[in-house]
Amino acid sequence: MKKIFILCAAIVVTIGTFSCTKLNVPVESQYVKSNFPVTDADYTALLGTIYSNLSSNYAVPYWRMQDMSTDEAILPARDGNFDDGGQYRQLHYHTWTFDHPNVIGVWQWGFGGINSCNRIISVINASSSTAAKKASSIAEVKAMRALYLYFMMDLYGNVPIITDFPVSGQPATQPRAKVYAFIESELKAVLPLLPAKSSNATVNVSQYGRPTKGMVFALLAKMYLNSGVYTGTNRYQETVTMCDSVQANTNYYLDTKYRDIFLPTNGPQINETIFAVPYDQQIPGNQFTRFGFFYYLAQAYGFNVGLSIAMSTTPEFYNRFNIPGDDRSKTWLAGPQFYPDGNGGFTNQPVYYPAPNATKQINLIPTLTLTGLKPMDLGNDILTSQSEGVRSIKYYPDVNIIQATRLNSNDVPVFRLADVLLMKAEAILRGATPTVINGETQLPLTLVNKLRTRAHAQAAASIDLDGLLDERARELSWEAWRRNDLIRFGLFEKEYPLPVAGGKTDDLKMNTDPTRRLYPIPSTELKTNPNLVQNPGY
């Protein structure tokens, strides 16, 4: 079409008395409805935007809304540095507004993904592919659309249900229960057409990062476990059924080493991953790994780039990592620091602060003490305030990281078998009937101790709901499920105040209103669509 336009323009310039009116000409483009999409390569190219959009925001803005609004992650200012207009303290104190950058950006990300899914479905429907190929491809797209919509429902509650492309009119807000029912029906409809995880490694590589039956089962389990929150009706037995369906595929099993699941070298070879967001040096989005490191350790770990000192966990959250022998406790940088040995452990060689403090060993302490001079600010002294806060190395920084992009190759799991086992344990503790898998009765204590055994942690003698929540914290830290968990347990509004130096009081207080369990409809959307109804409390 570009060639046709240039040709017509040339004729108009050269012979002014003629006009370009012959529009019935052969299309010279390589890709048209008659020949695209047809091949597997065509479909891979067509569907790519769904996944590139997913990775673009999942490991930073979306993650921040799910974890930095809880005790699990905090990004305090350090003498004004890293304050970024107060957006991180607004997440910590639940004082965000409808123009918070994450509130706006993640809405646009989620519904942008939904719009891409709808556009691709329209292209597939208009193609000359076989009916079978169309059906299987549309099933994949609808599964991803359901996942995007689940993220939006979980964060914003009452959201539009959009299935057409282009969008007709201005879609109205739908009740959360109706959105829930739509997602459930979509997932059940596409389930028979999706592949199952295979024992064939080559097949699994092609399926990695794309929806499978296992992903649908895990997502439905998550929905049913939270059904009381989303709809007011508990569905714990159905949670167990979905977890059983994941476990019925014996190609999912716990990996031997906990740390391997999250390394930069992770990928389709991880046996317990059900669905992950892939990242590498060409797929941007995973930068939260570097935010949680400690700048002055970078050289000792072999990284020739500037990594952040900014983000940590709270003392209250870190206190849960107290089980003898637990490998999961090693995912944090805490206490006196030593050179790593390259195998997940450490040498006896201390790491020192840079000059002029080069004789003092780096020591990271859990305490976060505010100065009281600036909002949620720790100060910026290298030996004290900069060293406050335990940092996460669960997603160990990538040795190939470069200063220009500071990207990491750690794929980020969305669903994995460990979460499925803990969801089942919780559902049973809440009243569901235990089931039998491969001759073993799936009792909550049995399921929890499977994970503790893998982590070389001391076995639990008993388990209740409070203990189960703590176990989820240990197993799933920084995997974007903490907000979801705390809301379900009625603890999202619990304050975890930070001490202030000199006996001063912290002028910032957490908003404990339960309406904060939902984020607001963004200001930008309300201005352009009068059919959207704002959530209560905003």
Side-chain angles (χ1 to χ4, degrees):
M1 293 304 296
K2 182 178 179 181
K3 290 180 181 179
I4 294 172
F5 174 79
I6 293 172
L7 177 61
C8 291
I11 294 172
V12 169
V13 171
T14 308
I15 308 173
T17 57
F18 291 90
S19 61
C20 185
T21 58
K22 187 178 180 182
L23 301 179
N24 186 22
V25 295
V27 176
E28 298 183 8
S29 171
Q30 181 181 354
Y31 298 115
V32 293
K33 290 180 181 179
S34 61
N35 67 5
F36 182 87
V38 176
T39 68
D40 289 343
D42 292 345
Y43 276 94
T44 299
L46 178 64
L47 272 58
T49 55
I50 300 173
Y51 301 104
S52 61
N53 182 76
L54 181 67
S55 61
S56 67
N57 280 258
Y58 185 84
V60 181
Y62 173 80
W63 179 88
R64 284 175 178 166
M65 292 180 79
Q66 293 288 15
D67 278 8
M68 287 181 62
S69 60
T70 74
D71 57 347
E72 191 167 271
I74 184 171
L75 207 166
R78 299 177 189 270
D79 198 22
N81 297 323
F82 308 109
D83 186 63
D84 290 354
Q87 59 177 297
Y88 311 126
R89 52 184 151 92
Q90 289 171 6
L91 289 173
H92 180 79
Y93 290 109
H94 294 190
T95 57
W96 53 76
T97 59
F98 66 2
D99 57 0
H100 187 282
N102 290 156
V103 168
I104 294 173
V106 171
W107 175 286
Q108 293 173 345
W109 164 75
F111 281 101
I114 291 169
N115 188 62
S116 291
C117 290
N118 292 335
R119 175 182 59 81
I120 289 170
I121 289 172
S122 71
V123 173
I124 295 172
N125 279 328
S127 75
S128 60
S129 299
T130 65
K133 184 62 177 177
K134 286 184 179 181
S136 63
S137 299
I138 289 175
E140 177 180 349
V141 178
K142 285 186 173 182
M144 289 303 299
R145 184 176 67 183
L147 181 64
Y148 275 117
L149 189 55
Y150 171 77
F151 292 155
M152 297 299 97
M153 178 194 71
D154 183 67
L155 289 171
Y156 300 97
N158 310 308
V159 296
I161 299 173
I162 306 171
T163 60
D164 52 345
F165 182 87
V167 180
S168 58
Q170 294 179 309
T173 305
Q174 300 296 328
R176 199 181 204 183
K178 183 175 180 180
V179 181
Y180 175 100
F182 174 79
I183 297 171
E184 180 187 20
S185 65
E186 287 282 283
L187 291 174
K188 287 183 174 181
V190 302
L191 181 60
L193 297 172
L194 293 175
K197 183 175 182 180
S198 168
S199 59
N200 185 304
T202 303
V203 172
N204 288 331
V205 168
S206 67
Q207 294 175 354
Y208 184 70
R210 300 168 70 176
T212 60
K213 294 182 189 298
M215 189 204 86
V216 169
F217 292 138
L219 178 50
L220 285 171
K222 189 71 69 174
M223 289 179 61
Y224 293 149
L225 183 63
N226 290 280
S227 183
V229 174
Y230 297 147
T231 72
T233 301
N234 295 325
R235 301 178 70 175
Y236 298 130
Q237 198 62 52
E238 289 161 283
T239 305
V240 172
T241 300
M242 291 300 103
C243 293
D244 285 350
S245 297
V246 173
Q247 289 179 270
N249 187 336
T250 56
N251 294 309
Y252 294 116
Y253 54 92
L254 296 178
D255 290 87
T256 303
K257 294 183 178 179
Y258 181 77
R259 70 186 297 267
D260 288 355
I261 304 168
F262 311 99
L263 290 176
T265 53
N266 65 358
Q269 78 278 10
I270 301 300
N271 301 295
E272 69 183 76
T273 298
I274 299 170
F275 181 77
V277 181
Y279 290 99
D280 59 28
Q281 294 300 316
Q282 284 72 49
I283 303 177
N286 179 2
Q287 296 192 47
F288 81 86
T289 294
R290 72 175 176 88
F291 293 137
F293 201 68
F294 189 66
Y295 179 85
Y296 304 108
L297 289 170
Q299 188 173 2
Y301 278 71
F303 306 123
N304 296 316
V305 300
L307 297 170
S308 181
I309 64 167
M311 191 164 61
S312 70
T313 190
T314 65
E316 186 271 342
F317 187 80
Y318 179 66
N319 286 341
R320 292 177 172 83
F321 290 81
N322 56 3
I323 303 175
D326 194 341
D327 290 342
R328 298 169 299 186
S329 298
K330 300 175 185 177
T331 63
W332 301 98
L333 292 172
Q337 296 299 298
F338 298 86
Y339 276 80
D341 63 9
N343 296 308
F346 297 90
T347 68
N348 58 3
Q349 181 182 359
V351 183
Y352 298 99
Y353 289 102
N357 303 297
T359 60
K360 297 182 179 180
Q361 185 178 7
I362 291 176
N363 184 31
L364 302 179
I365 61 174
T367 305
L368 298 169
T369 303
L370 304 180
T371 64
L373 302 176
K374 296 178 181 178
M376 206 174 88
D377 199 301
L378 300 178
N380 206 30
D381 182 82
I382 185 174
L383 296 180
T384 55
S385 55
Q386 282 191 17
S387 301
E388 290 187 355
V390 171
R391 272 65 165 189
S392 173
I393 53 170
K394 184 171 184 174
Y395 298 95
Y396 196 90
D398 191 343
V399 70
N400 296 312
I401 191 172
I402 61 174
Q403 186 65 40
T405 60
R406 291 183 287 186
L407 300 177
N408 286 269
S409 297
N410 317 65
D411 299 345
V412 179
V414 180
F415 301 110
R416 60 187 180 94
L417 182 61
D419 190 4
V420 168
L421 300 184
L422 290 173
M423 285 194 288
K424 178 189 279 190
E426 182 182 336
I428 294 170
L429 285 172
R430 292 185 183 277
T433 301
T435 53
V436 177
I437 298 290
N438 297 325
E440 177 186 70
T441 302
Q442 302 277 281
L443 298 174
L445 184 61
T446 304
L447 295 166
V448 167
N449 279 334
K450 285 180 182 292
L451 301 180
R452 289 205 179 189
T453 298
R454 188 264 294 281
H456 302 105
Q458 178 179 304
S462 61
I463 194 71
D464 58 13
L465 282 172
D466 290 341
L468 193 283
L469 180 60
D470 286 345
E471 202 64 34
R472 288 190 63 83
R474 297 183 192 101
E475 181 68 30
L476 301 169
S477 65
W478 287 36
E479 293 185 48
W481 289 116
R482 184 64 172 169
R483 170 184 163 275
N484 182 279
D485 290 344
L486 291 181
I487 290 173
R488 188 172 65 256
F489 277 77
L491 297 173
F492 187 60
E493 298 80 34
K494 181 181 178 181
E495 294 188 76
Y496 31 96
L498 302 175
V500 184
K504 301 175 183 177
T505 58
D506 184 6
D507 292 334
L508 296 177
K509 300 296 181 183
M510 184 171 173
N511 184 342
T512 58
D513 193 320
T515 58
R516 295 285 146 165
R517 296 178 186 181
L518 292 179
Y519 286 97
I521 308 299
S523 57
T524 51
E525 306 304 317
L526 293 171
K527 290 176 182 177
T528 58
N529 184 355
N531 293 328
L532 297 177
V533 178
Q534 184 59 278
N535 288 323
Y538 295 99

